[in-house]
Amino acid sequence: MAGVDHLATERSKARFDVEEMKVVWAGSRHTLELSDRISRLVASDPAFRKDNRAMLSRKDLFKNTLRKATYAWKRIIELRLSEEEASKLRFYVDEPAFTDLHWGMFVPAIKGQGTEEQQQKWLPLAYKMQIIGCYAQTELGHGSNVQGLETTATFDPQTDEFIIHSPTLTSSKWWPGGLGKVSTHAIVYGRLITAGQDYGVHGFIVQLRSLDDHLPLPGITVGDIGMKFGSGAYNTMDNGVLRFDHVRIPRDQMLMRVSQVTREGKFVQSNVPRQLVYGTMVYVRQTIVADASCALSRAVCIATRYSAVRRQFGSQNGGVETQVIDYKTQQSRLFPLLASAYAFRFVGEWLKWLYTDVTQRLQANDFSTLPEAHACTAGLKSLTTTATADGIEECRKLCGGHGYLCSSGLPELFAVYVPACTYEGDNIVLLLQVARFLMKTVSQLGSGKQPVGTTAYMGRVEHLMQCRSTVQKADDWLKPSVILEAFEARSTRMSVARAQNLAKFANPEEGFLELSADLVEAAVAHCQLIVVSKFIEKLQQDIPGKGVKEQLENLCNIYALFILHKHVGDFLSTGCITPKQASLANDQLRSLYSQVRPNAIALVDAFNYTDHYLGSVLGRYDGNVYPKLYEEAWKDPLNDSVVPDGYGEYIRPLLKQQLHNARL
């Protein structure tokens, strides 16, 4: 049935203006228009087809990615796309490629850490893609502990060069995307040694391959590290291994914005503050939080649409069965993920603002908010990526057996997304950084130094340590002030309790290691408070469109009360709420699920994803799932022949009891 919308009835139930919600999700009318135009451009171009990725061999998959990335660049030039449009095009092509690292890490590193002269030399080449760069920091033996990197960069004053060297097996660069087969250049991080002294880890621009025949330059061993988790997925990327055998580079290829080595080999700090590097980190982590909302919303869109299409049980007298989305067990798993997608979207928007604010302050030599901004972005990167990876997998389960098919789009989405829990900071290591910052904040509370930014609530420590929730009936839990106070009290009490336990140790470092699991819990509580408070702040803005704000209020309350329900032990054990109040929160949550139910399909339509971008038979806009699943099955290479390859050698001898004829 071509052109029939099987979800039309669902869409007609919506109690809000979907077009206005699309603007809220996109962030502005401009972004919505741009995203819509570019996503349709990609979807309508057969060159960007991606439904066969899971069936390709690694070599074919990789070559296909090279073709797409190069074709995308050709289109960017032909259509004279702006930087914003080009970045959206790469986003909607939806395939990890060397270009991600070139634009996302190599170019920003030169912009952030290179001098004016270095930027003038390297950026024009990078912008035209006359060189292709990657970011070679992680090694076989060290990832999170950047200070433990072993690659060396030793200055030779005789020739005015650095000698880049891999002294051990574990010093091999390992994991950088784009490195394995494509990059011509890399920002290589290594220990700067001059006049026999080690000055710690610095960045260097190193050419890896000839610009004529792409062969590795003398002294360089480079290749791909092998297949990764999942089919298709991140295997489109050439994550690489790289070793140096005394490779010489000119002195001016050290990134010298923050520190330099002079012609004589003297190490000097420039007048540019070291803290600028943190600005780049805040930026990268802000984009990761924004990506989390995109990945989670995709999974939620697929699971929500399929839950409305799928019917199971509940048939009365031969009538239709019940839509799966009408079961409370489905709603209580799905709707909190829908709410989380919106919550992460808004905290991502706020982080964009924070990045701008931090950058302006850094330029004015104001570093006062930096430790807090750093801790906050680290924590939110950890919280959102963990929740998103878990959420995508939950969405797969919400789709039952069919969710396990590659054509559902969910296995590949999960496999592509899950490394985000590790790259740019392992999620547990990041939470420990947040915990350190919280312990420092608590220790300074008595000194009159007021906590800033997202820790400002700790300034009301006396009140928060003894306040009691005023909730008496279920709908009291809909008051933002009630929710905020419960979350602030939980976070404050958990942090203070950890600090008190730490104080019992003679050696604070020993205490930190011993209590690290408890400290991580306090960090999570603080980060969840940030997400809740930023969602509430978003709702204080003027949000136009019939019923739009009301739906967002429901989602905000679902997010907050779901977290409260999930971590009810924290709230009860710290005495923020009573068991009765916890029970009322649960009653309110159930009632909120019923309010979201008629709007669920429209709320995922507001993400405005094309079927091409979703890449899911289950998540199709028109809900025409079953005929398409059937059609998709026949495309598998196994179905190219009716009798399988191998019948003559193995199956026939087995059936005919002639195993001596089998080619074993």
Side-chain angles (χ1 to χ4, degrees):
M1 292 167 70
V4 174
D5 181 358
H6 296 265
L7 290 169
T9 320
E10 283 292 333
R11 294 192 165 101
S12 69
K13 293 180 192 170
R15 296 173 191 162
F16 69 96
D17 183 336
V18 182
E19 293 308 310
E20 285 299 323
M21 187 66 90
K22 285 180 181 177
V23 176
V24 174
W25 177 262
S28 68
R29 285 188 197 281
H30 162 78
T31 313
L32 173 64
E33 180 281 320
L34 185 132
S35 300
D36 193 62
R37 179 164 47 85
I38 301 287
S39 66
R40 287 170 196 279
L41 175 79
V42 172
S44 62
D45 192 331
F48 292 126
R49 176 191 163 189
K50 61 181 185 183
D51 57 351
N52 60 343
R53 276 195 299 223
M55 299 172 205
L56 297 177
S57 71
R58 176 85 201 278
K59 277 188 165 178
D60 290 343
L61 180 71
F62 183 64
K63 190 171 180 184
N64 197 34
T65 303
L66 296 183
R67 175 187 64 75
K68 279 190 201 175
T70 307
Y71 177 74
W73 183 241
K74 178 171 179 266
R75 294 301 285 147
I76 287 165
I77 293 166
E78 286 170 352
L79 298 168
R80 298 190 174 161
L81 298 187
S82 67
E83 205 169 315
E84 189 185 13
E85 290 168 323
S87 141
K88 274 277 183 271
L89 182 107
R90 283 190 288 274
F91 172 80
Y92 285 115
V93 169
D94 186 38
E95 197 156 307
F98 64 91
T99 44
D100 301 355
L101 284 299
H102 178 81
W103 296 109
M105 298 294 281
F106 182 72
V107 168
I110 294 174
K111 276 163 109 171
Q113 296 165 48
T115 60
E116 287 296 320
E117 299 76 38
Q118 289 176 319
Q119 293 185 44
Q120 283 163 15
K121 176 179 176 178
W122 296 101
L123 289 178
L125 297 170
Y127 284 144
K128 290 185 186 153
M129 296 208 82
Q130 289 173 303
I131 60 172
I132 296 167
C134 67
Y135 187 86
Q137 178 174 299
T138 299
E139 294 176 357
L140 189 54
H142 289 91
S144 299
N145 180 11
V146 177
Q147 295 314 311
L149 293 178
E150 298 175 88
T151 301
T152 55
T154 309
F155 183 62
D156 178 353
Q158 314 287 205
T159 58
D160 198 22
E161 290 171 320
F162 283 105
I163 304 164
I164 313 288
H165 186 58
S166 310
T168 59
L169 180 69
T170 47
S171 70
S172 309
K173 294 298 175 187
W174 190 274
W175 275 117
L179 168 65
K181 293 288 162 192
V182 179
S183 296
T184 61
H185 289 68
I187 307 282
V188 174
Y189 285 85
R191 317 193 70 77
L192 191 156
I193 297 164
T194 180
Q197 199 175 336
D198 182 330
Y199 287 93
V201 175
H202 289 76
F204 301 82
I205 301 172
V206 185
Q207 184 172 345
L208 306 175
R209 291 177 168 97
S210 156
L211 292 173
D212 296 323
D213 58 12
H214 207 62
L215 287 173
L217 296 181
I220 286 173
T221 304
V222 64
D224 185 274
I225 59 171
M227 285 287 281
K228 298 169 290 277
F229 181 61
S231 304
Y234 221 85
N235 291 300
T236 55
M237 182 73 83
D238 56 329
N239 297 90
V241 51
L242 169 66
R243 287 184 60 73
F244 298 99
D245 183 359
H246 300 93
V247 172
R248 289 175 170 270
I249 59 164
R251 177 171 56 91
D252 66 9
Q253 281 172 223
M254 169 187 172
L255 289 173
M256 293 202 193
R257 186 176 178 190
V258 174
S259 46
Q260 299 98 24
V261 169
T262 64
R263 175 65 190 87
E264 297 72 44
K266 192 165 176 285
F267 178 80
V268 287
Q269 294 284 2
S270 71
N271 53 10
V272 174
R274 287 199 68 76
Q275 289 93 332
L276 274 181
V277 181
Y278 286 111
T280 312
M281 212 181 280
V282 172
Y283 169 74
V284 171
R285 288 183 180 155
Q286 170 258 312
T287 61
I288 292 176
V289 172
D291 288 345
S293 78
C294 296
L296 183 55
S297 58
R298 274 173 84 169
V300 166
C301 183
I302 294 166
T304 304
R305 286 177 179 168
Y306 181 60
S307 297
V309 169
R310 182 75 168 178
R311 292 174 179 273
Q312 210 78 183
F313 303 114
S315 165
Q316 303 293 321
N317 314 321
V320 293
E321 292 175 273
T322 305
Q323 286 169 282
V324 171
I325 198 171
D326 285 328
Y327 290 108
K328 284 288 170 187
T329 45
Q330 195 81 353
Q331 293 178 9
S332 66
R333 293 159 67 201
L334 179 60
F335 293 168
L337 295 174
L338 173 62
S340 300
Y342 275 90
F344 297 168
R345 192 68 170 186
F346 300 143
V347 83
E349 265 180 22
W350 171 75
L351 279 179
K352 241 185 203 148
W353 170 86
L354 181 75
Y355 170 64
T356 315
D357 182 63
V358 164
T359 310
Q360 286 167 355
R361 285 169 183 271
L362 284 175
Q363 281 158 358
N365 277 352
D366 168 7
F367 309 125
S368 59
T369 61
L370 200 59
E372 185 272 328
H374 186 244
C376 158
T377 49
L380 290 172
K381 182 270 176 185
S382 176
L383 185 83
T384 56
T385 55
T386 297
T388 296
D390 294 348
I392 296 168
E393 171 61 4
E394 189 67 9
C395 287
R396 185 190 65 75
K397 292 176 191 158
L398 284 162
C399 293
H402 298 333
Y404 192 61
L405 282 168
C406 282
S407 58
S408 77
L410 293 164
E412 199 178 5
L413 179 59
F414 178 70
V416 154
Y417 188 75
V418 84
C421 296
T422 309
Y423 63 56
E424 285 305 308
D426 172 89
N427 282 359
I428 299 299
V429 174
L430 291 179
L431 289 174
L432 288 167
Q433 288 181 13
V434 177
R436 252 181 216 285
F437 176 71
L438 291 174
M439 293 307 99
K440 190 172 177 185
T441 305
V442 171
S443 74
Q444 292 173 340
L445 286 176
S447 69
K449 188 179 179 200
Q450 278 304 303
V452 294
T454 56
T455 50
Y457 67 96
M458 286 192 177
R460 305 196 310 284
V461 64
E462 284 86 357
H463 170 70
L464 292 171
M465 286 305 286
Q466 42 85 34
C467 64
R468 294 276 174 271
S469 177
T470 55
V471 168
Q472 287 174 340
K473 49 190 200 306
D475 63 4
D476 286 342
W477 276 116
L478 299 178
K479 298 174 185 162
S481 58
V482 169
I483 287 176
L484 261 184
E485 185 171 84
F487 273 81
E488 288 176 347
R490 167 208 182 202
S491 179
T492 302
R493 292 174 195 193
M494 286 176 78
S495 283
V496 168
R498 274 35 170 200
Q500 287 168 343
N501 281 342
L502 263 181
K504 296 171 188 167
F505 286 82
N507 178 341
E509 277 312 305
E510 227 168 81
F512 200 88
L513 288 170
E514 182 60 32
L515 300 173
S516 55
D518 296 350
L519 287 160
V520 160
E521 288 172 4
V524 167
H526 171 68
C527 296
Q528 286 169 338
L529 163 63
I530 299 176
V531 178
V532 169
S533 66
K534 294 307 161 191
F535 207 145
I536 289 171
E537 275 176 30
K538 174 76 181 179
L539 294 173
Q540 287 161 356
Q541 295 174 11
D542 179 37
I543 300 173
K546 173 181 150 284
V548 170
K549 190 173 219 170
E550 192 186 331
Q551 292 310 316
L552 292 174
E553 282 167 352
N554 285 342
L555 291 172
C556 178
N557 290 324
I558 285 176
Y559 181 77
L561 295 180
F562 170 73
I563 296 289
L564 185 144
H565 174 65
K566 188 176 161 190
H567 295 272
V568 73
D570 288 355
F571 289 89
L572 291 173
S573 67
T574 52
C576 306
I577 63 171
T578 64
K580 174 69 182 145
Q581 291 169 329
S583 171
L584 290 171
N586 220 17
D587 295 343
Q588 186 54 56
L589 197 50
R590 260 200 319 282
S591 146
L592 286 163
Y593 294 153
S594 303
Q595 290 171 55
V596 164
R597 166 61 191 96
N599 301 288
I601 292 298
L603 283 167
V604 299
D605 284 351
F607 302 148
N608 204 36
Y609 293 142
T610 62
D611 281 348
H612 172 272
Y613 181 66
L614 274 185
S616 169
V617 173
L618 304 185
R620 293 172 57 86
Y621 182 83
D622 64 7
N624 189 24
V625 169
Y626 297 123
K628 293 294 175 185
L629 269 176
Y630 186 80
E631 202 180 289
E632 214 47 44
W634 294 105
K635 293 180 184 171
D636 192 282
L638 264 190
N639 290 323
D640 289 349
S641 61
V642 180
V643 176
D645 191 17
Y647 167 76
E649 295 107 307
Y650 311 115
I651 301 175
R652 186 184 162 85
L654 193 63
L655 291 168
K656 301 294 183 192
Q657 309 287 293
Q658 297 172 341
L659 286 177
H660 59 278
N661 290 344
R663 298 185 194 162
L664 296 172

